[in-house]
């Protein structure tokens, strides 16, 4: 039986583990966090990703956990509503769509909950990879243990450690920063909102919040442009200071949001950075999801790409009898064109969102925006 190590217990990693087990492999998941990561923004499961989730038997649970927004508002700095819609939302698109908007942690919990019997190693990570002349790789973990695996998959996100170990440092143009940053965190719903989202129209920053978990809480998004900002993705103190500096002195609910951010335990700040690699694999190591091709949240397609990419990689490994070389090559042939189309979509969306939330946009064309950003079609293979 082929032993496969998956680094990362997020959406791509959990989906991959499910399908690998379905195909008769023995996956092990290692995750640097001590347990499932809380928080995160609302994400969208669309088109072929819905088909994948339905094939896993999780479609009913997915749809039951959807955010179910009734609509959205845009307000100005004084909190005056300047636009309202019950047909479309900024984060999820048309309210009546078959697509499913769901909180990232709810989707991760749904997927992880379906992995009974799959070994998870929480609080550990891969620190060294050495190809084995006999095949596979010797893997050393931060905990000090060393093991052999036939295949290693990096599903460890935009800041992938497996990517750097397999393909070298991220200093050759493979990371493409778009100059923007987005912070997401959770607060109690003390804002009187119900199944609703509100965004502040501002020329230089984006601020918004939307209800979650039966209106008991809100997820806050604070976005800003700062091409020169530098911070480590685990340095929460520096992140809080950076965000506070960009939103200091603002009106509306910004003082309350910043005060809440200072004590939020699930703050996540990320640069809006695309990952563009010439190859997604080397030897016994393959990459999937944001580790391979992060399109950024501006595409609205990151979760869909992660789910479908994991499904395809698992299927190609099954077809290749566990041989990572032909499997990774087939995975890349099927996915690359679709991935690159959605990466370009993110660049288009960045300009559209700036136009839609500009202070002089009297009636933002959100429906037209979402119609123009429909996912590029992909024929989903059967495995």
């Amino acid at each position: 039986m082929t032993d496969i190590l998956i680094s990362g217990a997020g959406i791509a990693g959990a989906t991959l583990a499910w399908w690998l087990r379905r195909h008769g492999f023995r996956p092990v998941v290692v995750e640097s966090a001590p347990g499932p990561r809380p928080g995160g923004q609302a994400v969208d499961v669309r088109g072929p990703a819905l088909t994948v989730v339905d094939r896993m038997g999780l479609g009913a649970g997915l749809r039951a956990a959807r955010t179910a927004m009734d609509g959205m508002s845009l307000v100005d700095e004084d909190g005056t509503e300047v636009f309202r819609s019950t047909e479309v939302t900024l984060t999820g698109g048309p309210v009546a769509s078959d697509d499913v908007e769901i909180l990232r942690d709810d989707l991760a919990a749904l997927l992880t909950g379906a992995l009974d019997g799959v070994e998870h190693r929480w609080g550990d990570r891969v620190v060294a990879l050495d190809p084995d002349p006999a095949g596979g790789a010797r893997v050393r973990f931060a905990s000090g243990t060393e093991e052999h695996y036939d295949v290693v998959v990096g599903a460890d996100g935009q800041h992938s450690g497996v990517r750097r170990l397999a393909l070298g440092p991220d200093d050759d143009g493979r990371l493409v920063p778009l100059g923007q940053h987005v912070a997401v965190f959770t607060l109690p719903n003390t804002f009187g909102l119900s199944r609703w989202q509100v965004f502040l129209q501002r020329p230089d920053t984006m601020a918004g919040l939307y209800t979650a978990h039966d209106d008991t809480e809100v997820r806050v998004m604070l976005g800003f442009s700062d091409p020169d900002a530098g911070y480590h993705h685990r340095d929460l103190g520096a992140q809080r200071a950076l965000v506070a500096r960009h939103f200091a002195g603002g009106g509306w609910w910004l003082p309350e949001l910043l005060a809440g951010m200072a004590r939020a335990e699930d703050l996540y700040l990320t640069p809006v950075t695309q990952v563009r690699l010439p190859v997604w694999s080397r030897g016994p190591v393959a990459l999937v999801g944001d580790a391979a091709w992060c399109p950024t949240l501006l595409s609205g397609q990151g979760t869909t790409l992660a789910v479908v990419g994991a499904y395809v990689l698992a299927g190609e490994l099954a077809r290749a009898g566990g041989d990572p070389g032909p499997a990774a090559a087939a995975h890349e042939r099927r996915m690359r064109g679709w991935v690159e189309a959605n990466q370009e979509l993110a660049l288009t969306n960045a300009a559209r969102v700036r136009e839609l939330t500009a202070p002089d946009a009297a009636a933002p064309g959100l429906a037209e925006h979402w119609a123009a950003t429909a996912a590029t079609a992909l024929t989903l293979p059967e495995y």
Side-chain angles (χ1 to χ4, degrees):
M1 181 181 293
T2 303
D3 292 315
I4 301 178
L5 177 69
I6 303 169
S7 175
I11 306 306
T15 305
L16 179 64
W18 194 96
W19 284 102
L20 287 174
R21 185 180 62 175
R22 173 72 172 269
H23 292 307
F25 296 112
R26 188 165 50 206
V28 173
V29 181
V30 62
E31 167 60 52
S32 60
R37 296 178 184 268
Q41 74 274 22
V43 298
D44 302 293
V45 184
R46 300 191 168 108
L50 286 171
T51 302
V52 171
V53 176
D54 284 336
R55 290 179 184 178
M56 297 168 74
L58 301 176
L62 175 77
R63 291 170 178 85
R66 69 194 311 161
T67 59
M69 293 289 105
D70 288 335
M72 65 160 292
S73 301
L74 294 176
V75 299
D76 63 18
E77 195 87 21
D78 295 325
T80 302
E81 187 175 87
V82 297
F83 174 78
R84 166 178 287 254
S85 174
T86 56
E87 297 180 356
V88 67
T89 66
L90 189 61
T91 63
V95 171
S97 172
D98 290 334
D99 298 338
V100 175
E101 183 183 57
I102 182 173
L103 297 175
R104 187 212 62 81
D105 46 345
D106 286 349
L107 177 57
L110 177 70
L111 296 170
T112 302
L115 294 178
D116 289 342
V118 172
E119 181 182 354
H120 282 70
R121 299 181 183 178
W122 302 102
D124 206 353
R125 59 189 174 87
V126 177
V127 296
L129 290 169
D130 295 309
D132 190 325
R138 295 294 303 176
V139 180
R140 188 167 74 250
F141 298 91
S143 59
T145 60
E146 282 195 22
E147 296 174 357
H148 175 276
Y149 287 91
D150 301 299
V151 183
V152 177
V153 180
D156 45 348
Q158 175 184 321
H159 304 289
S160 172
V162 169
R163 180 181 65 232
R164 293 190 296 274
L165 291 171
L167 302 181
D170 288 333
D171 58 3
D172 59 356
R174 67 180 69 171
L175 302 186
V176 183
L178 304 187
Q180 301 172 348
H181 308 261
V182 176
V184 181
F185 53 95
T186 303
L187 294 179
N189 183 11
T190 60
F191 302 90
L193 299 177
S194 178
R195 295 166 60 106
W196 201 259
Q197 58 182 238
V198 185
F199 283 86
L200 171 64
Q201 284 189 306
R202 227 177 178 209
D204 54 345
T205 59
M206 179 275 292
L209 66 164
Y210 45 88
T211 54
H213 295 155
D214 297 323
D215 295 336
T216 61
E217 63 185 39
V218 295
R219 297 290 165 93
V220 182
M221 297 179 66
L222 300 177
F224 57 93
S225 297
D226 189 343
D228 300 321
Y231 51 89
H232 193 276
H233 64 280
R234 290 192 174 94
D235 188 345
L236 294 182
Q239 293 175 25
R240 288 189 172 97
L242 177 64
V243 176
R245 185 166 71 249
H246 277 276
F247 289 90
W252 183 53
W253 284 328
L254 286 177
E256 291 89 341
L257 299 183
L258 292 179
M261 180 190 68
R263 58 181 181 271
E265 297 181 354
D266 64 344
L267 172 65
Y268 177 72
L269 175 65
T270 183
V272 181
T273 300
Q274 291 191 337
V275 176
R276 292 182 177 248
L277 301 177
V279 294
W280 298 340
S281 65
R282 178 168 293 167
V285 182
L287 303 173
V288 71
D290 282 355
W293 58 63
C294 180
T296 78
L297 77 173
L298 294 173
S299 72
Q301 288 288 103
T303 298
T304 291
L305 290 172
V307 169
V308 175
Y311 167 81
V312 171
L313 180 57
E316 295 299 340
L317 280 166
R319 283 185 174 178
D323 189 337
H331 168 248
E332 186 162 345
R333 283 195 302 271
R334 287 190 180 276
M335 292 291 298
R336 183 168 284 277
W338 190 46
V339 164
E340 291 179 347
N342 281 289
Q343 288 178 326
E344 291 303 314
L345 179 62
L347 303 181
T348 301
N349 283 353
R352 285 197 177 109
V353 170
R354 284 194 296 270
E355 294 171 359
L356 296 174
T357 57
D360 58 352
L366 288 171
E368 293 81 3
H369 162 70
W370 277 105
T373 60
T376 307
L378 175 77
T379 301
L380 196 67
E382 293 272 2
Y383 295 108

